[in-house]
Amino acid sequence: MTAELTIYELFQEAQIPHYGGADSFALNGAFLGYGVDYEVLGATTGDMVAEILAGADPATTPVRTFENGIASINTETCEAIGFDLAEIEELFAPLCTQIVELTTAESFE
């Protein structure tokens, strides 16, 4: 992810939207990071543990997947590649539990 800091400007100049698998990519300059909604993941995992502790058989407990995550949009990169932020948010809204706007940061303290 820190390598993103060395390449994001090249993508901006070429007007190529670069996607990453987590918000940290967008924090480092990528157009968009799309990752798991950890609150939903934690609640679902807790429910599964409760079911097993109440007697459910772990071997037959179904695997669960998620259809939605969090889209983190780097507003600086969005503008640099010529996208309209409101339009991008509207397009991603049905695919997410949350949309986060952020800007490039080189330090995460």
Side-chain angles (χ1 to χ4, degrees):
M1 289 174 254
T2 55
E4 186 72 38
L5 290 167
T6 64
I7 63 171
Y8 80 93
E9 290 171 322
L10 298 171
F11 284 103
Q12 285 181 352
E13 290 168 15
Q15 295 192 320
I16 297 172
H18 182 171
Y19 299 82
D23 63 344
S24 52
F25 285 96
L27 279 169
N28 285 356
F31 163 61
L32 187 135
Y34 187 84
V36 151
D37 182 330
Y38 286 102
E39 289 182 24
V40 173
L41 175 63
T44 302
T45 302
D47 291 343
M48 292 173 73
V49 169
E51 291 168 10
I52 291 168
L53 291 174
D57 178 15
T60 60
T61 299
V63 172
R64 296 184 185 151
T65 60
F66 300 97
E67 296 178 8
N68 291 335
I70 296 176
S72 300
I73 302 170
N74 184 311
T75 57
E76 296 167 333
T77 299
C78 185
E79 181 180 342
I81 60 178
F83 286 163
D84 177 79
L85 180 60
E87 183 179 353
I88 294 298
E89 289 181 349
E90 184 178 329
L91 290 169
F92 274 93
L95 307 171
C96 306
T97 56
Q98 182 180 6
I99 294 176
V100 176
E101 296 177 14
L102 45 83
T103 58
T104 305
E106 294 185 19
S107 176
F108 309 106
E109 297 176 19

